[in-house]
């Protein structure tokens, strides 16, 4: 297993380009199953999770062609298998995103339950209930969801909890259903809008994405299309926090700056000067130590749970005491014991982490446990004194494109140590 070796203490300085959003690319690749002609997806980030989704599609008979590094052509006209096996789903929960498109287009899907997950139980009951409301027969047995429907029917669905992939799965299914579907209490994340734009470019009739009520009028067929994936706001936020923690001065290009309000608010509270352009975002910490901030994760447009671990690392080295309250996932503080091993003073009380900033973290061997926790550890390593070795970085590779190259471009001393 590869590791990352980070020699801390260097300010991040310079500029890098942000990649396409993982959480938009994954549903869009899954959604290509709906199309009756080839699809071109541009700005696809080169990530382990994207590779897993492509392997899953290929296992179904989908033909995937790489035009150049970031553009992918997907031909789903010869799907022979409608199964998402446990071996793939267990490595990536987002595999569940093929469920809606498969039932809607082929009338049949056999998708493994994702099962437990490092950051909590994360059930998929709302995906299943939504499809049942649309008339699908769903049997859950032997660890698999078997869903069938001759043609899905439009339905009024009120989602019990705001769920991002649940909203996307049902929106995609409804695109080929008979009649109108209304999704209430829908997730408002920018990635949901990107998926809706993608569906509409294929000829779907989706309106209201980005609000909590999405209306989808089903059509009988979806055509081929071209779509460019929006920039990754979590990758952007992660590098911004890296700059804030190291007193740096960084410009991020091709960023979706309008999707970062909650994160920018907290960075400014921490003392950073943040300049927002149309597609660029710049942060200047002027060599200063950040001040602690209080964070409470909520669905978009609130503060994203996917940025929580990074701000936990920031609070670990900040001036004062900051609290982090996690309201989305019940077990998302696995970075805390690792940060404590680096000298952080953090106490967990229920769903809250109370961080008392220390002057300096000290390097230690640490272990990545999930994707965003590992990003928090990498940032901690950048700010720590000495050499931090982050193990199990396959978690980082799931969601950050060439992280060590991008950080090196910003002046960090970081290298990948092959297993
Ligand atoms: C997506 C993101 C992930 C992010 C999360 C929250 C993708 C590929 N992943 O994950 O990066 O951390 O949103 O912003 O986009 N829930 C249920 N029943 C369901 C579905 C969800 O109870 O059927 C609960 C979950 O346990 C959790 C909450 O709803 O407590 C939100 O989860 P959800 O938005 O579904 O997360 P994901 O879509 O899996």
């Amino acid at each position: 297993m590869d590791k990352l070796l980070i020699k801390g203490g260097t300010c991040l300085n310079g500029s890098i380009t942000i990649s396409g959003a993982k959480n938009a690319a994954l549903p869009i690749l899954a959604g290509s199953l709906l199309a009756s002609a080839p699809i071109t997806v541009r700005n696809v980030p080169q990530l382990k999770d994207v590779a897993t989704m492509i392997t899953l599609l290929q296992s179904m008979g989908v033909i995937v062609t790489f035009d150049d590094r970031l553009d992918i052509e997907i031909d789903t006209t010869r799907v022979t298998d409608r199964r998402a096996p446990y071996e793939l789903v267990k490595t990536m929960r987002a595999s569940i995103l093929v469920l809606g498109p498969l039932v809607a287009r082929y009338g049949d899907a056999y998708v493994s339950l994702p099962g437990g997950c490092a950051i909590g139980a994360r059930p998929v009951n709302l995906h299943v209930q939504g499809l049942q409301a649309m008339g699908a027969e769903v049997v859950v047995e032997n660890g698999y969801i078997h869903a069938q429907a001759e043609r899905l029917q439009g339905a009024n669905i009120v989602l019990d909890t705001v769920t991002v992939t649940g909203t996307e799965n049902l929106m995609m299914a409804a695109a080929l259903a008979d009649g109108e579907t209304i999704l209430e209490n829908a997730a408002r994340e920018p990635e949901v809008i990107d998926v809706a734009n993608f569906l509409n470019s294929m000829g779907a009739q989706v309106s209201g994405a980005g609000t909590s009520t999405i209306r989808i009028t089903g059509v009988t067929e979806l055509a081929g299309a071209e779509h460019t994936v929006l920039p990754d706001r979590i990758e952007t936020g992660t590098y911004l926090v890296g700059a804030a923690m190291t007193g740096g001065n960084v410009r991020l290009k091709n960023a979706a700056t309008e999707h970062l309000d909650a994160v920018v608010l907290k960075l400014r509270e921490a003392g950073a000067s943040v300049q927002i352009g149309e597609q660029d975002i710049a942060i200047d910490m002027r060599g200063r130590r950040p001040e602690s901030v209080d964070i409470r994760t909520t669905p978009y447009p609130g503060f994203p749970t996917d940025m929580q671990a990074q701000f936990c690392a920031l609070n670990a080295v900040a001036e004062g005491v900051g609290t982090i309250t996690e309201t989305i996932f019940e077990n998302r503080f696995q970075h805390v014991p690792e940060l404590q091993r680096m000298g952080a003073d953090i106490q967990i009380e229920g769903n809250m982490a109370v961080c008392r900033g220390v002057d300096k973290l000290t390097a230690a061997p640490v272990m990545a446990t999930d994707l965003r926790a590992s990003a928090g550890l990498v940032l901690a390593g950048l700010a720590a004194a000495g050499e931090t070795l982050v193990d199990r970085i396959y978690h980082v590779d799931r969601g950050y494109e060439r992280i060590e190259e991008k950080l090196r471009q910003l002046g960090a001393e970081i290298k990948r140590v092959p297993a």
Side-chain angles (χ1 to χ4, degrees):
M1 263 180 271
D2 289 2
K3 299 179 173 69
L4 282 176
L5 184 64
I6 306 162
K7 189 168 176 210
T10 317
C11 281
L12 294 189
N13 271 304
S15 70
I16 49 170
T17 302
I18 293 304
S19 301
K22 168 179 91 70
N23 287 355
L26 295 176
I28 286 167
L29 293 176
S32 66
L33 285 165
L34 293 162
S36 302
I39 296 286
T40 301
V41 189
R42 303 195 190 283
N43 199 32
V44 179
Q46 279 198 321
L47 300 170
K48 185 77 186 72
D49 273 7
V50 167
T52 304
M53 183 59 86
I54 288 173
T55 304
L56 176 57
L57 293 174
Q58 286 170 328
S59 76
M60 295 173 179
V62 173
I63 298 165
V64 182
T65 317
F66 299 84
D67 291 350
D68 79 20
R69 217 174 58 77
L70 303 173
D71 295 350
I72 297 183
E73 191 179 283
I74 306 163
D75 184 345
T76 59
T77 50
R78 276 179 290 263
V79 166
T80 47
D81 197 338
R82 291 111 198 219
R83 272 181 308 161
Y86 177 64
E87 292 65 45
L88 289 174
V89 179
K90 75 174 182 203
T91 65
M92 185 184 67
R93 258 185 68 80
S95 311
I96 192 75
L97 286 161
V98 298
L99 179 67
L102 282 176
V103 198
R105 169 93 198 282
Y106 298 100
D108 191 24
Y110 196 67
V111 177
S112 170
L113 283 167
C117 163
I119 61 172
R122 297 181 89 175
V124 289
N125 56 314
L126 300 173
H127 303 235
V128 169
Q129 284 166 17
L131 289 176
Q132 283 171 325
M134 293 167 78
E137 295 261 345
V138 185
V139 179
V140 180
E141 60 182 10
N142 306 327
Y144 276 78
I145 304 166
H146 189 193
Q148 287 178 295
E150 218 159 88
R151 184 160 184 215
L152 291 171
Q153 303 296 315
N156 280 15
I157 300 168
V158 183
L159 292 159
D160 224 16
T161 308
V162 177
T163 160
V164 177
T165 51
T167 300
E168 291 161 348
N169 227 341
L170 298 176
M171 185 168 75
M172 293 191 287
L176 280 182
D178 184 18
E180 188 184 54
T181 298
I182 301 177
L183 294 178
E184 290 190 67
N185 200 26
R188 292 180 281 164
E189 268 66 3
E191 293 76 21
V192 174
I193 304 179
D194 208 36
V195 176
N197 290 342
F198 166 65
L199 292 172
N200 286 340
S201 71
M202 295 194 287
Q205 292 181 24
V206 181
S207 63
T211 75
S212 54
T213 304
I214 302 179
R215 285 170 196 275
I216 308 111
T217 305
V219 297
T220 50
E221 196 175 63
L222 290 169
E226 277 191 28
H227 182 82
T228 302
V229 174
L230 92 167
D232 197 309
R233 65 195 163 98
I234 305 300
E235 188 197 23
T236 311
T238 301
Y239 289 115
L240 290 175
V241 174
M245 285 175 68
T246 58
N249 183 351
V250 162
R251 175 175 297 277
L252 303 172
K253 295 178 288 189
N254 190 33
T257 53
E258 68 275 29
H259 301 146
L260 284 157
D261 290 356
V263 169
V264 168
L265 183 76
K266 291 298 162 184
L267 287 167
R268 285 183 173 146
E269 270 180 44
S273 156
V274 182
Q275 304 297 326
I276 300 175
E278 225 166 83
Q279 290 189 319
D280 283 21
I281 185 160
I283 180 166
D284 188 356
M285 202 63 194
R286 299 188 194 95
R288 288 200 321 260
R289 183 180 175 192
E291 283 158 43
S292 292
V293 289
D294 293 327
I295 301 275
R296 184 181 174 81
T297 63
T298 52
Y300 192 85
F303 187 90
T305 175
D306 285 352
M307 282 302 301
Q308 183 257 97
Q310 299 88 320
F311 270 85
C312 200
L314 179 137
N315 274 350
V317 296
E319 178 96 51
V321 181
T323 58
I324 309 256
T325 309
E326 173 58 55
T327 75
I328 311 282
F329 295 117
E330 70 269 28
N331 188 21
R332 213 176 196 183
F333 283 131
Q334 295 192 49
H335 42 286
V336 169
E338 299 301 303
L339 290 172
Q340 285 165 338
R341 298 183 58 247
M342 298 175 75
D345 180 355
I346 307 174
Q347 306 301 321
I348 297 179
E349 295 167 13
N351 70 341
M352 185 195 283
V354 182
C355 316
R356 281 177 187 78
V358 295
D359 284 343
K360 201 84 192 151
L361 291 174
T362 47
V366 289
M367 184 102 80
T369 50
D370 66 68
L371 168 54
R372 304 305 170 183
S374 54
L377 296 179
V378 170
L379 297 185
L382 293 173
E387 286 194 338
T388 296
L389 192 62
V390 185
D391 200 352
R392 300 205 176 161
I393 57 154
Y394 56 86
H395 288 293
V396 186
D397 294 332
R398 286 188 46 209
Y400 290 89
E401 188 173 49
R402 298 175 291 111
I403 191 167
E404 72 277 22
E405 275 179 46
K406 289 192 182 187
L407 284 171
R408 266 201 305 270
Q409 246 174 289
L410 296 175
E413 288 190 56
I414 177 169
K415 67 176 176 194
R416 184 174 290 255
V417 185

